[in-house]
Amino acid sequence: MDRRKKKLRRRRRNRLTAVLLVLMLFFIWLGARNYMNMEGLGLPGSGDGGRLSACLEDLYSPSAALVDAGTGEKLGAAGGSRRIYPASMTKIMTAVVALEHISSLDETITMPGDFYGQLYEENASMAGFEPGEEVSYRELLYGALLPSGAECCMAFAEKIAGSESGFAEMMNEKARELGMRDTHFTNCTGLHDRKHYSTAEDMARLVVYALKNDTFRQAFTSRSYTMASTAFHPGGFTVTSTLFASLSDPSVTGGEILGGKTGYTQEAGLCLASLAEVNGKEYVLVTAGAPGDHQSEPYHVLDAVKVYGRIGENAE
């Protein structure tokens, strides 16, 4: 009888040990999963800014990265290292490479006509310059960054590198120099190509670098720019920032959105690289993959307003 009782007790102990072992393994797995998913949740130990990281919850955009505009320090990310199609955010790199290879922005060029047919066929965004029109490099810069003019980017590429493919190699070289580890450019406009990709974190790194150039910063934060009179446009013409066209009030809690570059293709979704000042500090936010298109609500802009507003609210 005593032997039977001992066997029963031993079985119970073995069952209890097995249950405890299963529970222990389950909690180890759960902890590991939570650690891997902490990016963008603002949990202790996530290494991306605590409360500021939590500002990236519940966005329309599945990929987002928030950084300190002055230092480039990562403050939060949600899908920040996931590959994206950057669409017209590409033109930020186009502008950077152009600025670093042009001696005088006041020098004028004649707009080539060989690429217009391709751009029209691909329904690319245009600033409004015509083939054969005399344009300054400064006007090309504003035309690329404000209305997202593809013809401005192509003119930069042909004049600086001789071809778009040659210019894309210069863009890739700059990306490597900046430590953009998961970025590859095949063109200067952001038109869709499956081999043309980046990440929100890489693009944020690029924006922080670009903003150190005062000329870039001035264009990036401008709401509009008026082009000089030419034979094609005797009265000149004014281009408007695609960001501010969707943002009637740039103010957010504690500050305002200062500027940015939008992007859209069907494959990329709505994208935005933006700069804001909140409570005396500047932030760069890059979001990508939001639903919608040019006719829908500007979900990428709504995300920026939400994130910057949350930063301001956190400080109150």
Side-chain angles (χ1 to χ4, degrees):
M1 195 72 176
D2 289 340
R3 190 177 300 169
R4 185 181 299 173
K5 287 181 179 178
K6 286 180 180 178
K7 282 185 177 181
L8 287 173
R9 279 198 290 269
R10 194 181 306 120
R11 287 175 183 170
R12 288 171 185 160
R13 279 199 304 270
N14 290 342
R15 286 180 189 144
L16 180 60
T17 300
V19 169
L20 290 174
L21 180 60
V22 169
L23 287 172
M24 182 176 70
L25 292 173
F26 171 75
F27 284 115
I28 290 173
W29 170 82
L30 185 63
R33 189 188 70 167
N34 287 342
Y35 178 80
M36 294 299 291
N37 288 327
M38 277 194 300
E39 184 185 51
L41 296 180
L43 298 176
S46 63
D48 56 13
R51 287 188 306 166
L52 287 184
S53 186
C55 293
L56 301 180
E57 293 177 344
D58 305 321
L59 302 183
Y60 293 110
S61 306
S63 296
L66 176 68
V67 302
D68 183 307
T71 65
E73 177 189 359
K74 177 182 170 182
L75 302 174
S81 59
R82 182 187 300 128
R83 276 192 184 180
I84 62 167
Y85 295 123
S88 285
M89 292 192 297
T90 298
K91 291 162 185 166
I92 296 170
M93 179 61 91
T94 299
V96 166
V97 173
L99 285 170
E100 294 184 353
H101 289 83
I102 292 171
S103 57
S104 173
L105 287 177
D106 296 320
E107 180 183 346
T108 61
I109 66 167
T110 300
M111 290 296 289
D114 56 318
F115 48 71
Y116 275 83
Q118 173 195 346
L119 296 180
Y120 290 142
E121 184 177 332
E122 298 193 48
N123 199 29
S125 301
M126 308 290 274
F129 295 114
E130 300 291 341
E133 189 167 7
E134 288 292 316
V135 180
S136 72
Y137 283 121
R138 190 181 308 278
E139 290 171 322
L140 290 180
L141 176 67
Y142 280 85
L145 290 178
L146 298 190
S148 207
E151 83 273 32
C152 302
C153 300
M154 292 296 293
F156 275 138
E158 290 199 359
K159 292 298 181 180
I160 293 171
S163 68
E164 184 178 22
S165 60
F167 192 81
E169 282 305 311
M170 297 171 70
M171 296 167 70
N172 287 323
E173 182 179 349
K174 191 66 184 181
R176 289 190 291 270
E177 178 187 320
L178 295 178
M180 298 170 67
R181 297 179 181 178
D182 199 13
T183 294
H184 183 260
F185 299 109
T186 61
N187 62 66
C188 61
T189 61
L191 289 170
H192 180 67
D193 184 318
R194 65 182 183 82
K195 294 182 179 180
H196 185 99
Y197 56 82
S198 187
T199 69
E201 290 178 1
D202 274 3
M203 292 305 297
R205 182 186 294 266
L206 171 62
V207 175
V208 169
Y209 174 81
L211 288 169
K212 297 182 188 302
N213 183 303
D214 290 338
T215 302
F216 176 91
R217 182 187 174 96
Q218 185 175 5
F220 191 73
T221 57
S222 293
R223 298 193 181 197
S224 63
Y225 188 82
T226 299
M227 307 299 179
S229 171
T230 69
F232 289 86
H233 297 96
F237 66 96
T238 299
V239 293
T240 303
S241 163
T242 53
L243 166 61
F244 289 113
S246 300
L247 184 65
S248 57
D249 182 6
S251 62
V252 296
T253 303
E256 66 175 322
I257 297 175
L258 301 176
K261 179 73 195 76
T262 63
Y264 170 76
T265 64
Q266 185 175 357
E267 296 82 1
L270 293 169
C271 309
L272 175 62
S274 60
L275 170 69
E277 181 180 4
V278 184
N279 298 321
K281 188 177 182 64
E282 289 189 346
Y283 300 89
V284 166
L285 173 69
V286 174
T287 60
D293 53 33
H294 294 310
Q295 282 70 50
S296 71
E297 288 292 311
Y299 296 110
H300 50 340
V301 178
L302 296 177
D303 276 347
V305 172
K306 179 184 290 186
V307 171
Y308 293 130
R310 286 174 172 174
I311 294 173
E313 291 164 4
N314 279 342
E316 290 182 345

